[in-house]
Amino acid sequence: MASTPQNIEDILLSEDGIRLGQLLKLMNAVEDGQEAKAVISDGLVQVNGDIETRRGCQLHAGDVIAFNGGGWRITVDA
């Protein structure tokens, strides 16, 4: 069952779109791409309340990502 992260941090991006693995690295939630691939493929990351297993999943403004008890909401600098 999907859970909503308790602490959601807004992440401001200069363009509309980032891949899930890149976001986890950017937010220092993982050390590298290999760790990102592992936690995503193990079903430990949710996007908009659903488990996401694709590291290359494209994220856009408004998407909410949950991992390890925390979360991020994508916002875009218009």
Side-chain angles (χ1 to χ4, degrees), residues 15-33:
E15 58 187 55
D16 187 11
I18 187 171
R19 296 191 193 292
L20 181 56
Q22 292 172 322
L23 177 78
L24 292 178
K25 290 187 295 183
L26 176 70
M27 301 313 302
N28 294 316
V30 296
E31 289 189 26
D32 54 31

Side-chain angles (χ1 to χ4, degrees), residues 24-74:
L24 292 178
K25 290 187 295 183
L26 176 70
M27 301 313 302
N28 294 316
V30 296
E31 289 189 26
D32 54 31
Q34 198 167 17
E35 185 180 359
K37 181 179 181 179
V39 299
I40 294 167
S41 65
D42 287 347
L44 302 177
V45 181
Q46 295 178 6
V47 176
N48 299 324
D50 296 320
I51 293 173
E52 181 56 70
T53 57
R54 299 171 297 145
R55 179 176 65 167
C57 171
Q58 190 71 25
L59 303 171
H60 300 283
D63 286 342
V64 175
I65 298 82
F67 172 64
N68 202 23
W72 305 277
R73 180 182 302 112
I74 306 296

